[in-house]
Amino acid sequence: MNNLYANRMSKIPRSFVREILKVADEPDIISFAGGLPNPDTFPEEEFAESTSYILENSGAEALQYSTTEGYEPLRKLVSERYSKNGLSVDPKNILITNGSQQGLDLVAKVFLNKDDTVLVEKPTYLAALQAFGLFEPNFKSIPLLNDGVDVDVLRSQIEEDSPKLFYSIPNFQNPTGISYSLEKRKIIGKLLNQNETILVEDNPYGEIRFMGENLPPIKTFTDNSILLGSFSKVVAPGIRLGWIVAEDETMHHLVTAKQASDLHSNFFSQMIVHHYLTKYDVEEHLSMIRQMYKDQRDFMVEMIKLHFPDDVKYTQPEGGMFLWVTLPGDMAAMELFERTMEDKVAFVPGEAFYSDDPQKNTLRLNFSNSNNTKIEEGIKKMGNAIRELKSQ
Ligand SMILES: Cc1ncc(COP(=O)(O)O)c(C=O)c1O
């Protein structure tokens, strides 16, 4: 059957992260590998009540086919949340999707021809490389500095290559935890206004800020933008709901592409989430998540300080779920991974997150789906393994 598969399938890597997650899922492994929210934050009782409420009061509507764009009250609610944060978005410009992952797939379907250029951060979210990669573009990667991408390189790439898309995760980036400064957001907005490149601004972690000041989306500074959002990190990923914000013409094409994909996202879960978000105190829920993740992040940083050699560098994110570690010299994170797996500790070697020229001495640590006992034991074992590799 080998020669029957489409060429595009040979071009995308299988998700190394998913492969690792299969191993890391085993109960005796301490895993910093996945990108999972902490299940203790899931509003199970509230969802039980919301589900019964919807079935009892609007069962026929919830279980019927519905519109591609999504449940109107939920689109309105997303729009209201944006306006509270100073961004005006009409509900008609919001398309409810099957997680923001489907947002990436639909944007790629609507915009990309084979060999189009797509700019990505270096490193970037692996599953975005997969979603875009199926449409066979040329990726060009822009170095990520501590306050966002290198804007000089971004400018010259935009001017030289006229890329169609620039994919960016400005808040608590996956995998590095880095956030763009306000100044960089403004510079990028201005740059995009002067060019045709469209920003795909992926923001699943924006509301999980536990330190520092909230910053506006880059979309605030440019209309050349498609903004993606998600309920995965603020409610629960299993409901598979997210959204795309796009202007009228793009919205029209996205709706057509979504009809071809799945007609519409799960209407039952859209109604449940809407009920949940209107009946319960979501701000209180978010505060609980932020406090939990902050405590876990602080403890992981404390343990890294205590157990890793001094020449290991790491980011200290102000939100989100990940921190990014750079090992000394040319120490390979993949080799470290093999070593720590013997001790039943998992993480993701950084090379999975590069579209080209991987920096092999990097790795990603997830702190949200853990607890202090596991963090202490896991980081201590990693520290010992790093020292061992250093001494070889
Ligand atoms: C940067 C980024 N974008 C998109 C997604 C996909 O999220 P969703 O569950 O909304 O599809 C993730 C999930 O981890 C992510 O890290």
Side-chain angles (χ1 to χ4, degrees), residues 99-101 125 167 169 174 202 204-205 230 232-233 240:
S100 50
Q101 190 64 35
Y125 171 51
Y167 172 64
I169 311 156
N174 182 1
D202 191 6
Y205 304 104
S230 175
S232 290
K233 311 300 181 323
R240 304 308 303 130

Side-chain angles (χ1 to χ4, degrees), residues 91-327:
K92 78 175 170 33
N93 296 106
I94 295 172
L95 171 63
I96 303 291
T97 57
N98 197 27
S100 50
Q101 190 64 35
Q102 188 185 35
L104 294 170
D105 176 55
L106 295 179
V107 167
K109 268 191 187 134
V110 163
F111 284 98
L112 295 183
N113 292 320
K114 188 171 184 293
D115 296 329
D116 282 342
T117 300
V118 174
L119 301 182
V120 295
E121 296 156 335
K122 183 180 186 177
T124 187
Y125 171 51
L126 170 64
L129 292 176
Q130 289 182 312
F132 294 137
L134 278 167
F135 298 88
E136 302 177 88
N138 292 321
F139 288 112
K140 295 262 166 79
S141 58
I142 315 289
L144 194 56
L145 311 175
N146 281 334
D147 59 349
V149 281
D150 184 327
V151 284
D152 293 330
V153 179
L154 179 66
R155 180 176 292 108
S156 58
Q157 287 288 0
I158 287 181
E159 286 169 3
E160 273 167 33
D161 287 322
S162 307
K164 275 206 178 152
L165 305 176
F166 165 42
Y167 172 64
S168 160
I169 311 156
N171 293 313
F172 326 120
Q173 200 242 17
N174 182 1
T176 63
I178 283 172
S179 293
Y180 287 36
S181 65
L182 181 59
E183 199 196 348
K184 279 214 169 152
R185 290 170 199 242
K186 287 183 183 165
I187 295 172
I188 293 169
K190 199 168 159 197
L191 183 62
L192 293 167
N193 286 337
Q194 294 159 349
N195 290 278
E196 293 223 300
T197 303
I198 295 163
L199 170 72
V200 182
E201 185 172 12
D202 191 6
N203 189 28
Y205 304 104
E207 298 208 70
I208 315 290
R209 176 181 282 283
F210 42 67
M211 292 164 130
E213 253 178 73
N214 266 333
L215 294 173
I218 302 175
K219 183 175 171 52
T220 317
F221 308 111
T222 178
D223 288 333
N224 245 356
S225 145
I226 294 172
L227 183 56
L228 307 182
S230 175
F231 290 113
S232 290
K233 311 300 181 323
V234 296
V235 184
I239 54 174
R240 304 308 303 130
L241 289 178
W243 63 90
I244 308 178
V245 178
E247 47 73 36
D248 293 352
E249 192 182 305
T250 306
M251 185 73 188
H252 173 79
H253 291 302
L254 289 167
V255 168
T256 308
K258 185 166 167 64
Q259 273 165 1
S261 285
D262 63 0
L263 305 181
H264 62 76
S265 293
N266 184 325
F267 208 65
F268 186 29
S269 67
Q270 293 184 60
M271 292 185 81
I272 293 169
V273 167
H274 176 263
H275 176 81
Y276 166 73
L277 292 172
T278 44
K279 171 152 185 195
Y280 296 95
D281 187 343
V282 183
E283 290 315 316
E284 196 181 299
H285 179 69
L286 278 168
S287 301
M288 179 270 289
I289 298 176
R290 290 182 193 123
Q291 188 60 50
M292 183 186 288
Y293 291 4
K294 178 179 186 303
D295 290 347
Q296 286 169 194
R297 173 263 196 214
D298 286 350
F299 191 69
M300 188 173 267
V301 168
E302 198 185 316
M303 289 300 107
I304 287 176
K305 281 190 180 136
L306 198 63
H307 296 295
F308 282 10
D310 287 343
D311 51 359
V312 174
K313 295 199 195 90
Y314 49 92
T315 56
Q316 298 196 41
E318 295 187 329
M321 311 195 324
F322 306 107
L323 58 85
W324 185 245
V325 174
T326 307
L327 298 168

